[in-house]
């Protein structure tokens, strides 16, 4: 291992130690990795951001594309109301919310289907081979989601270990989706003593990082969008990589540190 690699490993070890100290755990024994979907597994955020910008402009409001990344994970109504309050000083009516959201969804459906994020499949194969179970935790609620995941990431995910919009009431930044993911894993393993330190979260959005951290889980940010690293680190991300490819390339180091601490 050269000096750069040693420094990188030290950074990972320190991040894990800090997490253990903050939460009062003696060690991590990671059994599962909970992956967010948009912006992590699929390169879909560019289309979402562009459609949000064009939709709001159509309704006379300004929502820059970069700002759409700040709202990533929020419900459609939540985003619309936030922008409406700022741009017009009032909330949107139910009818407006429906119209605006429908316009955005129609635009999005016209976009080409997002590609797999570079390095994502290779990372998932490595994760599985290292004895960590990959899971998906997403706010998305497309009915074809499982089929699409299985087509793009064959033999990686299990339906019973998946959390989607259909499973949760609140959505991110509420920790509920990740708490639900942990509950599903406990049930699947029939292991009631699993704790947050038996999991990791992989997220690309500030609100997603906030949700993972609020669930008490070691949260790895992958900054795949245009926001500064600080937007993710300030939400409490334990580690940050700049792409899924980078996390894939570093996985052996990450997992050896996670296992060394157990
Ligand atoms: Ca995301």
């Amino acid at each position: 291992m050269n000096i750069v690699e040693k420094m990188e490993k030290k950074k990972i070890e320190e991040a894990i130690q800090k997490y253990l100290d903050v939460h009062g755990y003696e060690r991590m024994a990671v059994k599962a990795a909970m992956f967010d979907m948009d912006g992590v597994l699929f390169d879909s955020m560019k289309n979402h951001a562009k459609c949000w910008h064009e939709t709001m402009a159509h309704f006379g409001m300004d929502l820059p594309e970069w700002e759409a990344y700040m709202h990533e994970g929020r419900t459609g109504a939540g985003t619309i109301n936030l922008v409406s309050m700022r741009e017009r000083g009032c909330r949107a009516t139910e009818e407006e919310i429906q119209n605006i959201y429908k316009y955005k969804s129609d635009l999005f459906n016209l976009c080409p289907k997002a590609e797999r994020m570079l390095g994502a499949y290779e990372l998932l194969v490595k994760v599985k081979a290292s004895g960590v179970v990959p899971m998906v935790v997403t706010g998305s609620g497309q009915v074809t989601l499982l089929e699409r995941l299985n087509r793009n990431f064959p033999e990686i995910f299990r339906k019973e270990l998946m959390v989607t919009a259909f499973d949760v009431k609140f959505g991110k930044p509420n920790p509920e989706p990740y708490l639900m993911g942990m509950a599903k894993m406990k049930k699947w393993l029939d292991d009631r003593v699993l704790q947050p330190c038996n999991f990791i979260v992989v997220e690309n959005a500030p609100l997603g990082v906030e949700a993972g951290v609020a669930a008490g889980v070691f949260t790895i940010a992958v900054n795949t969008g245009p926001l500064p690293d600080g937007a993710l680190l300030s939400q409490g991300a334990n580690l940050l990589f700049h792409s899924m490819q980078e996390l894939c390339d570093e996985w052996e180091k990450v997992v050896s540190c996670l296992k060394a601490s157990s």
Side-chain angles (χ1 to χ4, degrees):
M1 195 180 278
N2 65 34
I3 190 139
V4 176
E5 286 183 322
K6 274 187 188 154
M7 276 168 64
E8 280 165 357
K9 192 155 185 239
K10 191 157 180 279
K11 193 179 83 181
I12 299 168
E13 285 166 348
E14 283 172 359
I16 293 172
Q17 193 54 53
K18 195 172 158 203
Y19 169 83
L20 294 174
D21 292 345
V22 166
H23 294 273
Y25 294 125
E26 277 181 28
R27 59 184 190 273
M28 286 184 78
V30 174
K31 293 208 159 47
M34 298 189 280
F35 287 87
D36 169 51
M37 189 174 78
D38 287 303
V40 170
L41 301 179
F42 291 108
D43 195 5
S44 41
M45 272 312 294
K46 271 184 264 164
N47 289 344
H48 277 295
K50 197 164 148 269
C51 293
W52 269 121
H53 170 71
E54 285 180 20
T55 298
M56 292 314 240
H58 177 80
F59 288 90
M61 291 183 268
D62 184 34
L63 171 58
E65 284 185 32
W66 68 264
E67 191 194 326
Y69 287 85
M70 291 298 290
H71 299 309
E72 184 187 345
R74 231 185 261 294
T75 62
T79 301
I80 292 164
N81 268 325
L82 221 131
V83 176
S84 177
M85 280 302 288
R86 181 188 66 217
E87 295 287 303
R88 316 185 296 186
C90 63
R91 293 168 70 86
T93 65
E94 261 322 302
E95 198 189 342
E96 280 176 321
I97 289 174
Q98 280 183 17
N99 289 340
I100 296 172
Y101 196 65
K102 183 175 183 306
Y103 190 94
K104 190 257 166 180
S105 303
D106 289 347
L107 264 189
F108 186 75
N109 288 334
L110 291 175
C111 293
K113 277 267 171 278
E115 301 278 320
R116 237 168 34 184
M117 192 66 87
L118 207 68
Y121 183 56
E122 294 74 8
L123 170 63
L124 290 167
V125 168
K126 281 188 183 183
V127 168
K128 206 175 164 187
S130 60
V132 175
V133 180
M135 304 172 68
V136 171
V137 176
T138 177
S140 178
Q142 306 155 38
V143 275
T144 56
L145 201 128
L146 183 66
E147 184 268 322
R148 189 159 169 249
L149 280 167
N150 284 340
R151 187 161 24 90
N152 283 277
F153 303 97
E155 291 177 42
I156 296 289
F157 297 112
R158 314 178 71 97
K159 188 171 183 277
E160 58 270 43
L161 292 180
M162 198 174 278
V163 178
T164 70
F166 301 114
D167 294 296
V168 295
K169 218 157 128 190
F170 302 110
K172 302 164 189 175
N174 192 290
E176 187 192 16
Y178 286 116
L179 297 176
M180 181 73 74
M182 291 191 276
K184 287 198 177 197
M185 187 66 186
K186 275 187 204 177
K187 198 171 160 207
W188 187 64
L189 281 180
D190 196 19
D191 184 347
R192 287 191 202 123
V193 296
L194 279 186
Q195 291 181 293
C197 62
N198 300 124
F199 294 83
I200 58 171
V201 160
V202 180
E203 264 290 352
N204 72 304
L207 297 176
V209 168
E210 196 182 331
V213 171
V217 182
F218 187 88
T219 301
I220 299 176
V222 278
N223 192 2
T224 61
L227 299 177
D229 292 348
L232 297 158
L233 293 170
S234 64
Q235 299 302 325
N238 299 90
L239 267 181
L240 183 140
F241 294 92
H242 294 96
S243 64
M244 285 296 272
Q245 187 63 57
E246 192 190 358
L247 175 55
C248 178
D249 295 342
E250 298 293 312
W251 177 252
E252 286 77 10
K253 270 195 214 84
V254 173
V255 81
S256 81
C257 292
L258 288 172
K259 288 193 169 164
S261 83
S262 63

